[in-house]
């Protein structure tokens, strides 16, 4: 009789039947990953294409923004230069505020300048300052601006037809209208320089007149004796060739030139020399002698080279 094989009924009872098709059951995470993988492969191309397009668009608009900003800045500067008056004599600003901005720090020169400006404000009643364009014409510019803005009369020796522009200003009684005309004049560089050359011609004319008096052995002011005693200005021609010709181009006015300018225009030019604060040379006059009928105009300088216009309290 054939031997019976070992039989385990319990195991047979609880043994699970095999899945259909003999496939194993997959966990839900694997199914999810497979679904995502399929979905990514489906949309990968369009997504990358969209991101690339978005990046290119952003780069384009950034470049466009930078370009437009640059062009707008250029046009803004151009329009300002085109329509804004480029005044060579600026508007009034507070004197002590100007000093505080220009002379900061604790150097000996900065301290000296602050004390000099305080002296002008408290003792000489200078309220404001007009900054003047710093070139070799600035002394002539400062003097001419005050003559025209104050409506001062022509010198007694000069005929009205000699300088028509001067006559126009002196005839205007309204201060605001004169101020507007001054702003227009001192924003016209070409006309401005023509007037400075005219002032130089007036100085030369006076030197010629006085030189003729010397030849006639007439008495002349002391400043002209000083002028003609120099080898470089012993006569009107040498004065013109060696001095006047260079004013505005390579140099400004020297002290002897300031004397001649004041005498020629019949004004007394008072200059505050801030670098000479606390000395007898803090205030100087051109010419030194006082003429009762001559008006006085005032300049200030920090270095005896460039001049500005002080504005006094009314």
């Amino acid at each position: 009789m054939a031997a019976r094989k070992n039989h385990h009924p319990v195991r047979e009872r609880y043994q699970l039947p095999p899945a259909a098709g003999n496939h194993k059951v997959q966990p839900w995470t694997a199914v999810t990953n497979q679904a995502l993988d399929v979905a990514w492969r489906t949309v990968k191309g369009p997504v990358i294409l969209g991101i690339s397009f978005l990046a290119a668009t952003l780069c384009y608009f950034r470049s466009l923004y930078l370009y437009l900003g640059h062009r707008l800045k250029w046009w803004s500067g151009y329009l300002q230069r085109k329509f804004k008056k480029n005044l060579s004599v600026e508007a009034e600003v507070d004197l002590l505020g100007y000093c505080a901005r220009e002379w900061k720090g604790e150097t000996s020169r900065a301290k000296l300048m602050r004390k000099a400006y305080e002296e002008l404000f408290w003792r000489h009643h200078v309220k404001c300052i007009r900054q003047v364009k710093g070139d070799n014409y600035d002394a002539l510019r400062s003097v001419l601006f005050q003559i025209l803005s104050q409506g001062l009369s022509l010198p007694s020796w000069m005929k009205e037809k000699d300088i028509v522009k001067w006559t126009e200003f002196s005839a205007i009684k309204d201060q605001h209208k004169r101020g507007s005309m001054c702003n227009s004049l001192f924003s016209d560089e070409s006309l401005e320089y023509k007037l400075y050359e005219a002032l130089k011609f007036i100085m030369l004319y006076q030197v010629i007149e006085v030189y003729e008096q010397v030849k006639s052995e007439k008495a002349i002011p002391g400043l002209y004796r000083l002028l003609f005693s120099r080898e470089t200005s012993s006569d009107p021609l040498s004065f013109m060739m060696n001095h006047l010709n260079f004013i505005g181009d390579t140099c400004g006015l020297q002290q002897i030139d300031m004397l001649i300018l004041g005498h020629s225009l019949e004004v007394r030019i008072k200059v505050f020399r801030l670098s000479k604060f606390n000395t007898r040379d803090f205030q100087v006059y051109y010419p030194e002698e006082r003429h009762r009928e001559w008006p006085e105009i005032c300049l200030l300088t920090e270095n005896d080279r460039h001049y500005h216009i002080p504005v006094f309290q009314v």
Side-chain angles (χ1 to χ4, degrees), residues 65-302:
Y65 170 79
L66 294 175
Y67 173 77
L68 292 177
H70 175 75
R71 297 303 298 174
L72 181 62
K73 184 177 180 180
W74 185 92
W75 276 105
S76 176
Y78 171 79
L79 292 175
Q80 287 182 1
R81 293 190 300 271
K82 185 72 173 177
F83 298 106
K84 183 180 180 180
K85 293 182 177 180
N86 182 26
L87 296 177
S88 59
V89 179
E90 297 185 13
E92 298 176 9
V93 295
D94 177 72
L95 183 79
L96 295 183
Y98 168 82
C99 172
R101 291 191 301 272
E102 295 293 321
W103 294 102
K104 300 176 182 179
E106 297 302 320
T107 65
S108 58
R109 182 166 177 79
K111 291 179 180 178
L112 177 70
M113 287 297 153
R114 289 198 293 268
K115 290 180 180 178
Y117 276 107
E118 290 173 1
E119 175 85 357
L120 291 180
F121 186 86
W122 295 111
R123 184 173 179 181
H124 298 280
H125 309 292
V126 178
K127 178 183 179 181
C128 298
I129 184 175
R130 282 183 177 270
Q131 290 180 262
V132 177
K133 182 180 179 181
D135 58 14
N136 291 320
Y137 281 116
D138 61 351
L140 290 174
R141 180 179 291 111
S142 301
V143 170
L144 181 62
F145 180 87
Q146 293 187 79
I147 288 175
L148 298 180
S149 63
Q150 295 178 27
L152 301 182
S153 301
L154 294 166
S156 59
W157 60 269
M158 191 182 299
K159 298 178 181 179
E160 289 187 1
K161 64 180 182 180
D162 291 331
I163 299 186
V164 177
K165 183 63 68 174
W166 194 328
T167 307
E168 292 177 2
F169 278 86
S170 61
I172 297 174
K173 303 306 179 184
D174 185 270
Q175 183 177 355
H176 294 288
K177 187 175 181 180
R178 266 201 323 270
S180 178
M181 288 184 64
C182 279
N183 288 338
S184 177
L185 171 61
F186 286 89
S187 62
D188 187 337
E189 188 177 77
S190 177
L191 178 57
E192 207 181 331
Y193 290 159
K194 289 177 182 177
L195 290 175
Y196 302 146
E197 293 300 317
L199 289 181
K200 289 163 61 176
F201 178 78
I202 291 173
M203 295 168 65
L204 178 61
Y205 180 85
Q206 276 294 92
V207 169
I208 293 173
E209 288 289 300
V210 175
Y211 190 72
E212 291 298 320
Q213 295 176 16
V214 171
K215 292 165 60 177
S216 303
E217 298 183 353
K218 295 181 179 179
I220 63 172
L223 69 96
Y224 290 100
R225 287 197 297 269
L226 175 62
L227 176 70
F228 296 137
S229 67
R230 302 187 305 178
E231 292 183 0
T232 57
S233 58
S234 57
D235 55 65
L237 179 61
S238 60
F239 173 65
M240 180 187 70
M241 298 298 294
N242 298 322
H243 295 277
L244 273 183
N245 279 352
F246 297 103
I247 294 174
D249 293 329
T250 59
C251 66
L253 296 184
Q254 300 177 9
Q255 289 191 353
I256 186 66
D257 303 320
M258 293 283 279
L259 287 167
I260 295 173
L261 178 64
H263 191 269
S264 301
L265 300 178
E266 293 185 354
V267 295
R268 195 175 191 223
I269 304 172
K270 178 180 179 180
V271 179
F272 290 108
R273 304 170 68 196
L274 274 61
S275 62
K276 302 296 182 181
F277 177 66
N278 269 345
T279 72
R280 59 180 297 180
D281 294 324
F282 180 59
Q283 299 179 59
V284 293
Y285 294 89
Y286 305 101
E288 293 182 1
E289 62 273 12
R290 183 186 297 273
H291 296 264
R292 183 182 301 177
E293 66 277 11
W294 289 12
E296 182 176 286
I297 62 176
C298 192
L299 314 180
L300 69 82
T301 177
E302 297 176 345

